[in-house]
């Protein structure tokens, strides 16, 4: 699976949009971009995933660049409960039951 | 939605004893489960893949005789930390894929070895 690069930490004001970038320049054609987050002392939680089109669900939006070498996770109205470590992972669709390897992620702090 | 549980959520044991951690998929079957370990302020590190009905496969550097994994049924995998030492103190998390896009993780087990 392709490697990803994320900033180690970010801050955002409560109520504002939080934009978390991820670089995945070696992504291949059959690989999806997944985002998970981990709130302190809990298991990771799935947020969203995409292949090449922008995606939106009740939690977040995912914007993938046209060349698919980078993406941005957007939390439109961040709350204090969104404080967590966010992980961007690239993996192929066929590997549903295969290894899921985590990088260092971005530690997002939402400030009141 | 699919749920994965872990038991216990928190355990404290003395050095030299063994500790068993259970991971259950509550409303789906999982022929494969994964075990991770996480030290403070670090990312999750994959330890091993638990396979129902067969031996687990371990990541490089993980001692299979120390971290015993048993996947006896389609809904239960257990991780036993044998002869635990303080350096084994960590947050242990299991993952159970459902075959869908979402990947369900357990809530984690905090192990403290004194």
């Amino acid at each position: 699976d392709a490697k990803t690069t994320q900033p180690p930490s970010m801050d955002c004001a409560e109520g504002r949009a939080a934009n978390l970038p991820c670089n995945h320049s070696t992504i291949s054609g059959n690989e999806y971009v997944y985002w998970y987050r981990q709130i302190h002392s809990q298991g990771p939680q799935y947020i969203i995933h995409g292949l090449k089109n922008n995606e939106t669900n009740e939690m977040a939006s995912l914007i993938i660049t046209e060349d698919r070498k980078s993406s941005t996770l957007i939390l439109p109205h961040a709350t204090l409960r969104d404080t967590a470590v966010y992980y961007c992972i690239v993996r192929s669709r066929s590997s549903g039951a295969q290894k899921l390897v985590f990088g260092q992620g971005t530690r997002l702090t939402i400030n009141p | 939605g699919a749920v994965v549980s872990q038991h216990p959520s928190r355990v404290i044991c003395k050095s030299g004893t063994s500790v068993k951690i259970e991971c259950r998929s509550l409303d789906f079957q999982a022929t494969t489960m994964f075990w991770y370990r996480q030290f403070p302020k670090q990312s999750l590190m994959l330890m091993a893949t638990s396979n129902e009905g067969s031996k687990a496969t371990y990541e490089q550097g993980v001692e299979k005789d120390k971290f015993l994994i048993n996947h006896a049924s389609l809904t239960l995998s257990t991780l036993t930390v044998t002869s635990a030492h303080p350096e084994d103190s960590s947050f242990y998390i299991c993952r159970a894929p459902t075959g869908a896009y979402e990947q369900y993780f357990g809530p984690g087990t905090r192990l403290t070895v004194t």
Side-chain angles (χ1 to χ4, degrees), chain B:
Chain B
V3 177
V4 175
S5 69
Q6 282 185 241
H7 177 81
S9 59
R10 186 179 294 267
V11 58
I12 301 172
C13 71
K14 292 185 177 181
S15 186
T17 62
S18 295
V19 176
K20 180 185 287 186
I21 302 170
E22 294 184 348
C23 176
R24 292 182 185 274
S25 57
L26 297 185
D27 57 359
F28 66 99
Q29 295 180 335
T31 57
T32 303
M33 292 185 180
F34 300 86
W35 287 95
Y36 294 80
R37 179 168 56 181
Q38 186 176 34
F39 293 108
K41 297 190 182 299
Q42 295 187 23
S43 186
L44 287 80
M45 185 187 76
L46 180 64
M47 298 176 65
T49 303
S50 174
N51 303 298
E52 190 269 336
S54 64
K55 292 182 179 180
T57 53
Y58 292 81
E59 296 300 302
Q60 189 173 9
V62 178
E63 300 176 58
K64 62 180 181 179
D65 294 330
K66 181 169 183 61
F67 299 98
L68 301 179
I69 291 173
N70 187 340
H71 197 146
S73 77
L74 290 171
T75 59
L76 173 64
S77 175
T78 60
L79 168 67
T80 301
V81 183
T82 62
S83 187
H85 289 95
E87 57 265 32
D88 298 321
S89 298
S90 189
F91 192 51
Y92 292 86
I93 304 169
C94 68
R95 170 173 78 92
T98 66
Y101 294 121
E102 298 185 40
Q103 300 287 325
Y104 293 99
F105 290 83
T109 296
R110 176 78 57 193
L111 170 63
T112 303
V113 184
T114 61

Side-chain angles (χ1 to χ4, degrees), chain A residues 10 12 16 23 31 45 47 61 64 73 79 111-112:
Chain A
M10 292 182 64
C12 179
R16 305 296 294 268
N23 287 320
E31 290 182 318
Q45 175 190 23
I47 301 174
S61 294
I64 303 174
L73 179 73
T79 70
N111 300 307

